[in-house]
Every structure is written in structure tokens, then in C-alpha cells.
Amino acid sequence: MATLFISDLHLHAERPGGIEQFLHFMRTDARAASALYILGDLFEAWIGDDDTDPGHAPVIAALAELRRKNVPCYFMHGNRDFLIGKRFAAATGCVLLDDWHVVEIAGQQAVLTHGDLLCTDDTPYQELRAMVREPAWQREFLAKPLDERRAIAAGLRERSKTETAAKPAEIMDVNQAAVEAALQRHGVSILLHGHTHRPAVHEFVMDSAPATRIVLGDWYDTGSVLRWGGSGFALETLAQL
Ligand code: MN
């Protein structure tokens, strides 16, 4: 049995194909897994656990069903769904993880992160991230009516789209020094993340020892999954439905 890792599904009601792909994955691959890790951006947007978005209900139900089948599920926040909270955890049975989290899979240790913390060259983004991760900002945001929250979130996404279009591509990729610092800090040689939507396995040498950075892909066209079992890991693209 393998442990599965996914991220950057960006599920929302306006893209039903993505939700279908996820529900199919949950009924098949996920059910046969020893555990499922979701490394953020499961949803395109999350403005609070009290949101009534019709796209969320089937996703929550599928996660709860996986829990009933005794497959543990772990969730780490992404930059789109960092407001997922205790009510979501209770409804789905997902365990919320801190960003950074060290796991041991088949005798190998790896540090998990959504990935945006590694994009240290993007200073304006890191400033915005620091603001919206402040407990005081979140309390104030969550106290607003849903309509107002929806409008603020749409504004932030619009701003991010405009800024992203104006930034050179390398600014929005991870910073290699940040990658190596994270590996050192956690005393591991494998780092696994999503966020950049640039699926790949990067092998490099750090302190004269081999190190690996695995990047999960997004689910825009079809699913991207890291399957990690006794015989090692494989970064896979799911067949289109
Ligand atoms: Mn992201």
C-alpha cells in the first residue's frame, strides 16, 4: 500500500470536471491508499468554514467517506484555502497539519510544505501572505458577512492575477537557498511541495550529499499524484476521465 500526496486541485463549482476527477480519485486510488496527504489549494477559494458554496459539499462528503473507510487524511493549508478551520476538520475527519511538517514514508523522511513559503524572491507576495496569516486579520475577516468576504477574496485574487502577469516567471518559482535552508532546518534530504504548478523531481547535491525536491502538479487538465510506497516514490499523472 502506498501513501498518496496531492495539491493544487483548485476545485470550484464553475469547473465541474475538476470535482468529478477528484471524486473519482477518492473512490478509487485514495480508497486503496494507506494515507492521503493534501498539500494545500484543494479549493480555488475558501472564505470560511461557514461558506455555502455548492462546489464544496460533494468534496467534503468524499473526504468524510474516505475517513469512514479508515484511510487517514491530512490537510495542509494552501494560499487559496488557508482559512480552512476546525469545522472543516470535524466534517471531513482530515487532520490539519502545520506548514512545515516532517513525515516518514517507507523508512525515508521528507519535509512537506505547500510551497509558497519557498518563493522568497516574490517580496510583495510574502508581505501579503504575512498579512492574511495574522490571527487578528483572520478574526476580522471571518466576522464579516459572507457576501463581503466573497468580494474581498475576489479582489485579492484579481490583484494576484494582475501582479502575477507582471512578474518574471523565475520570481514566482522557489528560491534554491530557501529550499536548502528548509532541508537543513528539518534535518532531511527530501522536500515535497506544490503551489508552483511545475511538477518535477529535482535531484541536486547539498553538502556533498544527494537531495531531492519533488513538486506536485495542479489538477487543471488532469490529476497529479505522488505515490510513495515500499519500492520508492513515483510522480504520476492520472488518466483523464
Ligand atoms: Mn498555492
Side-chain angles (χ1 to χ4, degrees), residues 13 22 39 69 79 87 114 163 167-168 185 201 220 223 230 239:
F22 175 71
L39 300 188
K69 301 287 180 197
N79 53 303
R87 207 198 290 189
H114 174 59
E163 287 176 358
K167 282 173 199 167
R185 203 161 62 241
V201 177
Y220 286 151

Side-chain angles (χ1 to χ4, degrees), residues 134-149:
E134 282 283 343
W137 186 91
Q138 295 192 0
R139 261 196 310 277
E140 203 180 305
F141 180 80
L142 291 171
K144 293 180 197 294
L146 276 169
D147 280 351
E148 201 181 330
R149 277 184 263 163

Side-chain angles (χ1 to χ4, degrees), residues 147-240:
D147 280 351
E148 201 181 330
R149 277 184 263 163
R150 225 167 260 136
I152 295 172
L156 285 173
R157 276 203 302 284
E158 220 23 69
R159 179 176 147 191
S160 144
K161 222 190 275 172
T162 318
E163 287 176 358
T164 299
K167 282 173 199 167
E170 62 273 16
I171 294 285
M172 287 175 298
D173 203 351
V174 302
N175 173 293
Q176 182 63 20
V179 167
E180 297 188 11
L183 288 168
Q184 257 148 5
R185 203 161 62 241
H186 295 95
V188 299
S189 61
I190 305 173
L191 172 69
L192 170 56
H193 70 88
H195 181 67
T196 59
H197 302 205
R198 300 175 197 199
V201 177
H202 300 275
E203 310 273 5
F204 54 98
V205 173
M206 192 179 94
D207 298 333
S208 3
T212 308
R213 176 169 69 92
I214 309 165
V215 191
L216 297 165
D218 62 52
W219 284 49
Y220 286 151
D221 294 323
T222 183
S224 171
V225 179
L226 182 77
R227 195 180 294 274
W228 198 339
S231 50
F233 61 77
L235 185 56
E236 297 176 1
T237 304
L238 296 179
Q240 236 149 0

Side-chain angles (χ1 to χ4, degrees), residues 108-121:
Q108 280 182 298
Q109 284 199 326
V111 62
L112 313 178
T113 184
H114 174 59
D116 53 337
L117 283 170
L118 296 166
C119 301
T120 52
D121 295 329

Side-chain angles (χ1 to χ4, degrees), residues 21-194:
Q21 176 106 52
F22 175 71
L23 297 180
H24 177 77
F25 167 79
M26 291 298 280
R27 286 191 300 264
T28 53
D29 292 280
R31 218 168 268 190
S34 46
L36 173 66
Y37 284 81
I38 304 169
L39 300 188
D41 290 356
L42 172 61
F43 298 102
E44 174 73 0
W46 192 268
I47 55 171
D49 289 0
D50 55 337
D51 188 10
T52 48
D53 188 310
H56 295 165
V59 176
I60 290 170
L63 289 165
E65 181 59 20
L66 187 70
R67 195 69 200 89
R68 276 192 294 277
K69 301 287 180 197
N70 292 316
V71 179
C73 180
Y74 302 94
F75 178 87
M76 180 180 281
H77 292 124
N79 53 303
R80 298 306 195 95
D81 49 17
F82 61 87
L83 285 171
I84 277 182
K86 289 193 182 96
R87 207 198 290 189
F88 172 88
T92 58
C94 290
V95 176
L96 303 186
L97 301 178
D98 286 337
D99 190 345
W100 317 91
H101 181 80
V102 175
V103 284
E104 187 171 321
I105 311 287
Q108 280 182 298
Q109 284 199 326
V111 62
L112 313 178
T113 184
H114 174 59
D116 53 337
L117 283 170
L118 296 166
C119 301
T120 52
D121 295 329
D122 192 346
T123 321
Y125 171 74
Q126 293 299 337
E127 281 166 9
L128 174 69
R129 185 187 190 281
M131 177 183 88
V132 300
R133 298 301 179 102
E134 282 283 343
W137 186 91
Q138 295 192 0
R139 261 196 310 277
E140 203 180 305
F141 180 80
L142 291 171
K144 293 180 197 294
L146 276 169
D147 280 351
E148 201 181 330
R149 277 184 263 163
R150 225 167 260 136
I152 295 172
L156 285 173
R157 276 203 302 284
E158 220 23 69
R159 179 176 147 191
S160 144
K161 222 190 275 172
T162 318
E163 287 176 358
T164 299
K167 282 173 199 167
E170 62 273 16
I171 294 285
M172 287 175 298
D173 203 351
V174 302
N175 173 293
Q176 182 63 20
V179 167
E180 297 188 11
L183 288 168
Q184 257 148 5
R185 203 161 62 241
H186 295 95
V188 299
S189 61
I190 305 173
L191 172 69
L192 170 56
H193 70 88

